Amino acid sequence: MTHPNTWTALPMQGEFSTAQTLDCGQCFRWTPQEDGSWLGLVGQTPARVRDENGTLWIQTPSGLDSLWMDYFDCALDYTAIRTAFAIDEFTSAAADYGRGIRILRQDPWEALCSFLISQCNNIPRIRGILSRLCEALGEPMEFQGQTLYTFPKPEHLAPLERADLEFLRAGYRAPYLIHAARAVCDGSLDFSSLENQDTETARQQIMQLRGVGRKVADCFLLFGMHKLDAFPVDTWMKKAAGYYSGDFSVFRNSPYAGIYQQYIFYYIRSVLS
């Protein structure tokens, strides 16, 4: 076990940027610190992370076990994927700008709730809603002098009614969380089953859940199931189509379509907005 205040490099294939990976719209509960690092919690395991010259450095009490190697998708060669994506001026610029992005292997339940909340919403507001949810229904954990909160389990949400979640200020989205929690608890939503299905089959199944349309489904599949061929399309991606003279279908048919999508999304949102 590593001392929680010791910085250790996490070996990985390709480059890493803390800000690009943790602030590109795929996750919402890592928080930036004054020293440039980011503080977060995966399951019940806290960590502080930063990057230096494309290398990920981490402080965590768990040591460099499979949790963090899997979470940051360390074994996948993102350099090769980025090179294959950069086929013209636009894609080359997007790939270079987002060169430190990696797709996290997030907890499916947390990812599903996050993207149910994300509908017709912006990132600061999504962060606020999820923060209130975790502080009210999660468990507090102390790490490096700060209090972090675990994500509430489905069984904590399933017995609730809409009025019980008024404090979230999530509007029409709150009942979606309760419905999803009940589906997990009664077994009608089985994440392990979805993981073993191909992307299209899993998409059709998750879209049967209340509040899940195509965009939310693809975000959940990409960020919660790590199905890298899912290609979410939101207003930013529709805007990107106006800048790009090529055809996005060439990317959507790739096994790494979701990574390509993140390069485009991050570039358009950050540079061309």
Side-chain angles (χ1 to χ4, degrees), residues 108-131:
W109 165 243
E110 180 173 344
L112 176 60
C113 292
S114 298
F115 289 102
L116 284 169
I117 291 296
S118 75
Q119 299 176 74
C120 300
N121 223 337
N122 58 58
I123 290 177
R125 191 161 182 268
I126 297 166
R127 290 185 184 277
I129 293 170
L130 292 174
S131 177

Side-chain angles (χ1 to χ4, degrees), residues 200-228:
E200 180 57 31
T201 302
R203 179 184 292 117
Q204 293 304 317
Q205 184 169 336
I206 197 64
M207 285 179 67
Q208 296 177 29
L209 194 67
R210 188 179 305 169
V212 179
R214 176 63 184 262
K215 181 257 183 179
V216 171
D218 281 345
C219 286
F220 163 72
L221 293 171
L222 177 59
F223 304 124
M225 291 274 105
H226 208 69
K227 293 185 180 294
L228 298 180

Side-chain angles (χ1 to χ4, degrees), residues 63-253:
L64 300 184
D65 57 21
S66 60
L67 168 67
W68 298 110
M69 297 292 290
D70 289 344
Y71 183 77
F72 288 107
D73 202 19
C74 292
L76 186 61
D77 188 351
Y78 277 70
T79 300
I81 293 169
R82 180 165 48 82
T83 300
F85 170 66
I87 61 174
D88 52 36
E89 183 177 354
F90 178 90
T91 56
S92 295
D96 185 64
Y97 188 79
R99 63 191 304 117
I101 292 175
R102 301 184 78 87
I103 304 299
L104 304 173
R105 290 183 180 270
Q106 299 183 65
D107 172 69
W109 165 243
E110 180 173 344
L112 176 60
C113 292
S114 298
F115 289 102
L116 284 169
I117 291 296
S118 75
Q119 299 176 74
C120 300
N121 223 337
N122 58 58
I123 290 177
R125 191 161 182 268
I126 297 166
R127 290 185 184 277
I129 293 170
L130 292 174
S131 177
R132 291 189 287 275
L133 176 67
C134 295
E135 289 180 17
L137 299 175
E139 300 177 3
M141 295 192 67
E142 298 299 320
F143 179 65
Q144 296 186 344
Q146 298 194 48
T147 303
L148 307 177
Y149 293 87
T150 63
F151 199 83
K153 297 177 180 179
E155 52 265 35
H156 295 156
L157 284 167
L160 304 182
E161 300 296 337
R162 178 171 182 168
D164 297 319
L165 294 181
E166 287 294 330
F167 71 92
L168 293 180
R169 302 195 294 277
Y172 67 89
R173 308 167 190 85
Y176 297 158
L177 302 181
I178 297 171
H179 183 262
R182 292 173 180 173
V184 173
C185 290
D186 68 22
S188 58
L189 176 55
D190 183 348
F191 294 127
S192 60
S193 175
L194 289 175
E195 187 176 14
N196 292 325
Q197 294 172 0
D198 65 81
T199 301
E200 180 57 31
T201 302
R203 179 184 292 117
Q204 293 304 317
Q205 184 169 336
I206 197 64
M207 285 179 67
Q208 296 177 29
L209 194 67
R210 188 179 305 169
V212 179
R214 176 63 184 262
K215 181 257 183 179
V216 171
D218 281 345
C219 286
F220 163 72
L221 293 171
L222 177 59
F223 304 124
M225 291 274 105
H226 208 69
K227 293 185 180 294
L228 298 180
D229 57 337
F231 190 91
V233 175
D234 65 353
T235 53
W236 288 108
M237 291 301 292
K238 292 175 182 177
K239 187 173 184 177
Y243 285 97
Y244 185 55
S245 59
D247 184 354
F248 280 155
S249 65
V250 68
F251 304 122
R252 299 185 72 158
N253 295 328

Side-chain angles (χ1 to χ4, degrees), residues 29 40 49 58 140-141 154 169 232 266:
R29 295 210 308 125
V49 298
I58 185 168
M141 295 192 67
R169 302 195 294 277
Y266 187 71

